[in-house]
Amino acid sequence: MAKLNFGGVEENVVTREEFPLSKAQEVLKNETVAVIGYGVQGPGQALNQKDNGINVIVGQRKNSKSWDKAVSDGFVPGKTLFEIEEALEKGTIICYLLSDAAQIALWPTVKKHLTPGKALYFSHGFGVTFNEQTGIIPPKDVDVFLVAPKGSGTSLRRMFLQGRGLNSSYAIFQDATGKAFERVVALGIAVGSGYLFETDFKKEVFSDLTGERGTLMGAIQGIFAAQYDVLRSKGHSPSEAFNETVEELTQSLMPLVAENGMDWMYANCSTTAQRGALDWWKKFRDATKPVFTELYESVASGKESQRSIDSNSKPDYREKLEEELKELRDSELWQTGKTVRSLRPENQSTKPEEQNDNVENLFKKMIDEHDPIR
Ligand SMILES: NC(=O)c1ccc[n+]([C@@H]2O[C@H](COP(=O)([O-])OP(=O)(O)OC[C@H]3O[C@@H](n4cnc5c(N)ncnc54)[C@H](OP(=O)(O)O)[C@@H]3O)[C@@H](O)[C@H]2O)c1
């Protein structure tokens, strides 16, 4: 484990140089890694481990699209793909990658198969941290740890195939065998992490729930909607409002921030943009900080986890979710986004005359359908 300096603060991290794949393969050579669940994280983690030479099997309920996907991804029923309980029995390391709500429902079955010396692996601190709400209390004689990739399972797989890696946090909740550290780090490397940073279960879940409700998803949609509405109410077209709110950010600026940081982006934009951004960012920080504080407290008090468990366990969960998503999908902002995306040259026909025709038709359609404000 290396100590690296992050903006003046020292942190424990593990890099691929100090813990190469060959070391991970050595640590895991006698293990059977059972990935339970083939939803979003399951495929990314299972396929990356398989391609990295780890002995991995998948546990997934049958008669499900996820089972079919596992088969089409190359897992073989009866050899490397099993019903959940059979995989739980065979695995020495159980990667518990069902949805957080399903983890609660299946816990009694999982617990039955956690014999001494096995390891229980999570990709989220949720179940263990909020154990009063989830009932997930692991037996004392198994290792319990997590590797939480900081991104979607889809990105984990895509980046692996591109020779890149998604950063992950790791944490040890319980070290029953004395081997928890090498096991968890080996798994972190095997699933395709970039570098691994140390955390604990509570910090992982508090930061994760805050992040997804905040800048990663909730806050960003809120800020998009607020700016778009103001521009539209002042007479700007959907195209102008969308391009100034979303398209320029996702297509042009964020890739530059990802590559070089915010200071570089500020240094390399127009002086007019630079002056304005430097003058206004602190005002936005001060306006939103109370909301972020309220959010963090709601996470820490267990209110957010309870709300998530309650709503995701309802039988009509998927229908209710679909209604809420439909509201977003049908909003002018995201309908405009759909049209704007279709106009990107890479999404268009290659013939210029067809392109012009498409553009005219699409703009006409856009104006006909989405101009309710003016
Ligand atoms: N989404 C991400 O990219 C991401 C990122 C970082 C960490 N994580 C964490 O990784 C873990 C897995 O998340 P995920 O998003 O991959 O989960 P997900 O896609 O929601 O997982 C769905 C899996 O759970 C199974 N499942 C659902 N209900 C079930 C039930 N009642 N009985 C048996 N199986 C059931 C599904 O099978 P069917 O298809 O048959 O329903 C599928 O295999 C979670 O702890 C999550 O917090 C996720």
Side-chain angles (χ1 to χ4, degrees):
M1 185 159 37
K3 266 204 187 305
L4 288 191
N5 188 311
F6 291 85
V9 180
E10 291 227 312
E11 279 187 46
N12 289 330
V13 300
V14 180
T15 64
R16 291 193 198 184
E17 284 88 67
E18 71 176 292
F19 206 104
L21 179 61
S22 54
K23 196 165 161 185
Q25 288 166 336
E26 177 62 25
V27 170
L28 299 174
K29 71 175 185 226
N30 296 321
E31 307 273 14
T32 301
V33 180
V35 171
I36 308 299
Y38 209 74
V40 184
Q41 274 299 313
Q45 296 198 20
L47 288 170
N48 290 358
Q49 290 192 75
K50 187 171 157 227
D51 289 353
N52 274 335
I54 307 302
N55 177 25
V56 57
I57 60 172
V58 169
Q60 167 61 43
R61 63 180 170 186
K62 263 190 184 154
N63 301 320
S64 145
K65 280 189 185 152
S66 306
W67 174 277
D68 299 342
K69 178 169 164 46
V71 172
S72 70
D73 283 351
F75 290 98
V76 181
K79 283 194 176 157
T80 50
L81 173 62
F82 302 93
E83 286 273 13
I84 289 177
E85 197 150 0
E86 207 177 338
L88 284 168
E89 205 223 310
K90 289 184 190 302
T92 56
I93 295 177
I94 308 299
C95 295
Y96 203 18
L97 298 181
L98 298 182
S99 66
D100 295 307
Q103 285 182 21
I104 301 173
L106 268 279
W107 176 243
T109 313
V110 173
K111 200 174 165 188
K112 218 167 55 184
H113 294 283
L114 290 175
T115 48
K118 282 197 181 187
L120 177 62
Y121 163 112
F122 293 90
S123 282
H124 200 7
F126 192 102
V128 166
T129 302
F130 297 113
N131 61 18
E132 284 181 11
Q133 294 161 350
T134 64
I136 297 181
I137 302 172
K140 286 278 168 238
D141 46 14
V142 298
D143 292 343
V144 182
F145 41 64
L146 66 75
V147 170
K150 294 293 124 187
S152 159
T154 311
S155 312
L156 185 74
R157 181 65 182 158
R158 274 191 197 160
M159 288 170 83
F160 176 85
L161 292 173
Q162 293 163 357
R164 299 161 67 205
L166 203 59
N167 299 329
S168 304
S169 60
Y170 74 92
I172 297 170
F173 179 74
Q174 211 167 268
D175 182 5
T177 64
K179 294 189 298 186
F181 177 76
E182 60 179 31
R183 274 171 140 181
V184 71
V185 171
L187 288 159
I189 297 295
V191 300
S193 303
Y195 83 95
L196 293 152
F197 58 95
E198 192 179 45
T199 188
D200 61 41
F201 271 57
K202 199 162 146 182
K203 287 208 173 79
E204 194 285 328
V205 71
F206 283 14
S207 59
D208 193 74
L209 295 189
T210 301
E212 65 204 10
R213 282 153 182 71
T215 58
L216 302 178
M217 294 175 74
I220 198 80
Q221 163 62 20
I223 287 178
F224 282 166
Q227 177 168 307
Y228 183 88
D229 286 355
V230 168
L231 289 174
R232 289 289 287 128
S233 71
K234 300 292 181 190
H236 297 267
S237 66
S239 200
E240 189 161 66
F242 189 85
N243 273 284
E244 289 297 347
T245 304
V246 181
E247 192 74 351
E248 184 171 339
L249 179 75
T250 59
Q251 298 301 292
S252 162
L253 303 183
M254 277 302 137
L256 294 176
V257 175
E259 270 173 42
N260 307 303
M262 196 65 103
D263 58 328
W264 187 94
M265 201 267 280
Y266 276 19
N268 287 278
C269 62
S270 73
T271 50
T272 313
Q274 191 178 65
R275 184 66 266 139
L278 286 167
D279 286 346
W280 278 85
W281 79 263
K282 289 182 183 161
K283 206 174 171 107
F284 281 106
R285 177 196 61 193
D286 296 344
T288 57
K289 206 165 171 179
V291 185
F292 282 107
T293 305
E294 182 190 337
L295 164 60
Y296 191 89
E297 282 161 7
S298 185
V299 169
S301 69
K303 210 165 126 193
E304 294 301 308
S305 50
Q306 191 59 55
R307 173 154 168 71
S308 165
I309 292 168
D310 291 346
S311 68
N312 296 344
S313 316
K314 287 199 178 119
D316 63 348
Y317 153 72
R318 281 192 190 279
E319 293 84 71
K320 286 269 180 312
L321 172 72
E322 188 43 40
E323 276 170 31
E324 287 182 80
L325 293 180
K326 189 173 178 323
E327 188 190 331
L328 269 184
R329 191 184 308 129
D330 291 349
S331 68
E332 186 194 280
L333 165 63
W334 289 111
Q335 284 293 317
T336 300
K338 195 173 163 196
T339 310
V340 172
R341 287 194 296 279
S342 74
L343 291 168
R344 288 182 195 152
E346 66 271 27
N347 295 338
Q348 296 239 293
S349 133
T350 46
K351 287 187 197 158
E353 61 274 18
E354 279 178 27
Q355 261 188 32
N356 288 340
D357 190 40
N358 278 347
V359 172
E360 271 173 29
N361 285 339
L362 281 164
F363 267 122
K364 190 170 176 305
K365 195 163 169 265
M366 195 164 99
I367 289 160
D368 289 348
E369 285 178 5
H370 309 301
D371 208 12
I373 295 177
R374 280 183 299 165

